[in-house]
Amino acid sequence: MILITGATGNIGTELAKQLAAQGIAFRALVRSPKTIEGAETVIGDMSDKNSLAKALQGVEKAFLLTNSSEEAEQLQSNFVEAAIEAGVQHIVKLSQFAAAKNAPVRFLRYHAAIEEKIIQSGMAYTFLRPNLFMQGLLGFADLIKHTHQFYAAIGDAAISLVDIRDIAAVAAITLTQPGHENKIYDLTGPAAITHAEMAAYLSAATGKQISFVDVPAAAMRPALIQAGFPEWQADGLLEDYAHYARGEAAEISAAIVDVTGIPARDFASFANGYATFFAA
């Protein structure tokens, strides 16, 4: 039995879809009643250890993903402890590219802390460390539609962005096929590109002139707050973008093609596939 957490989020939804398409039975942990094709759903909350124990009954493998929150590290720690007690044999954890205990980015530190906890548990593990999601640009879709611009504090640093569909494909294989135990996979696209190059690809895909505007971090923070991000998340995103601006997210990994046998999607294919989201 496989348990999927985060099954209603972007990556979890795609992972559930791929497992269902392959006829693979799985259980999905949800916080409220939902129907997920191919899944046995169980209602629970990672802050409630009793509900986790119920969800994990009979589970051999689990996919660990929580949404971004101030409590994410504690919630994932709760899950790992419940998985140990339930006798789970293998956790596939969605982590983040460059996760490290001494990172200046809070999100990278928390992922590294949970990775270490899983390793110390003695369970088999697979850590998926994706770089910046291509689909993250969908958060700027309305801005791009109406102003034909988007903004970030990153300069001309290149990032090897990755498509979430490729992340889900790797997750599906590592959950269902042997040979991925105790492995760490950096998941990137096939090329590192700048935000200005992203704008050029979006322009070509939409037929609109879309431009990227580099802004100082001091200007990015109030814009994030105005857009509705809580302060802790805005500050964390600024740390993320400082990490990108230092050129620390340009490495290209072959893990996606190595695991799936299919080359990672490039940004041009993402832009073409999602063009209607960005075109007015």
Side-chain angles (χ1 to χ4, degrees):
M1 173 59 72
I2 296 169
L3 176 70
I4 306 297
T5 67
T8 58
N10 291 333
I11 292 174
T13 296
E14 183 63 31
L15 172 58
K17 187 189 305 181
Q18 293 190 23
L19 291 175
Q22 296 173 48
I24 296 167
F26 63 99
R27 181 181 297 165
L29 177 65
V30 294
R31 285 181 289 183
S32 58
K34 285 185 175 66
T35 300
I36 298 173
E37 184 181 353
E40 169 202 348
T41 57
V42 57
I43 296 173
D45 190 308
M46 287 198 188
S47 63
D48 179 351
K49 294 189 177 182
N50 288 330
S51 72
L52 286 178
K54 179 181 176 183
L56 286 162
Q57 285 180 359
V59 168
E60 297 176 359
K61 296 186 177 185
F63 179 69
L64 176 56
L65 163 64
T66 53
N67 63 345
S68 185
S69 73
E70 282 188 285
E71 296 79 33
E73 181 175 344
Q74 182 59 56
L75 295 176
Q76 292 202 11
S77 180
N78 291 347
F79 185 88
V80 174
E81 291 170 5
I84 293 168
E85 293 177 10
V88 173
Q89 298 172 19
H90 184 184
I91 287 183
V92 176
K93 169 177 161 51
L94 188 81
S95 185
Q96 187 173 340
F97 186 86
K101 288 196 298 183
N102 60 351
V105 182
R106 66 193 68 190
F107 302 139
L108 300 182
R109 292 195 300 271
Y110 111 68
H111 281 301
I114 299 301
E115 287 183 357
E116 183 174 32
K117 188 179 184 82
I118 294 170
I119 291 171
Q120 290 178 347
S121 76
M123 278 185 290
Y125 62 84
T126 309
F127 300 144
L128 308 184
R129 292 179 173 177
N131 210 342
L132 181 64
F133 302 162
M134 293 179 187
Q135 281 80 359
L137 267 177
L138 296 174
F140 299 96
D142 285 342
L143 178 69
I144 293 171
K145 268 186 180 181
H146 296 112
T147 70
H148 298 158
Q149 293 182 330
F150 61 106
Y151 311 83
I154 193 171
D156 60 358
I159 307 175
S160 52
L161 297 90
V162 62
D163 193 299
I164 63 170
R165 293 169 292 184
D166 292 330
I167 300 170
V170 173
I173 288 171
T174 57
L175 284 164
T176 59
Q177 297 180 18
H180 303 285
E181 295 83 0
N182 303 337
K183 300 284 182 67
I184 299 174
Y185 294 127
D186 290 332
L187 304 181
T188 75
I193 63 174
T194 67
H195 274 54
E197 289 171 322
M198 293 178 212
Y201 282 118
L202 291 173
S203 298
T206 61
K208 307 288 185 181
Q209 185 56 47
I210 295 169
S211 59
F212 165 69
V213 180
D214 184 50
V215 296
M220 187 175 174
R221 187 181 191 277
L224 289 169
I225 299 296
Q226 187 176 5
F229 288 90
E231 290 193 4
W232 68 268
Q233 193 169 27
D235 290 337
L237 287 170
L238 288 174
E239 292 169 1
D240 261 337
Y241 270 87
H243 157 66
Y244 301 146
R246 290 190 294 269
E248 296 170 355
E251 180 183 335
I252 296 166
S253 166
I256 288 172
V257 68
D258 289 346
V259 173
T260 68
I262 301 170
R265 292 173 173 86
D266 60 18
F267 193 83
S269 67
F270 163 79
N272 289 327
Y274 286 82
T276 56
F277 289 85
F278 300 103

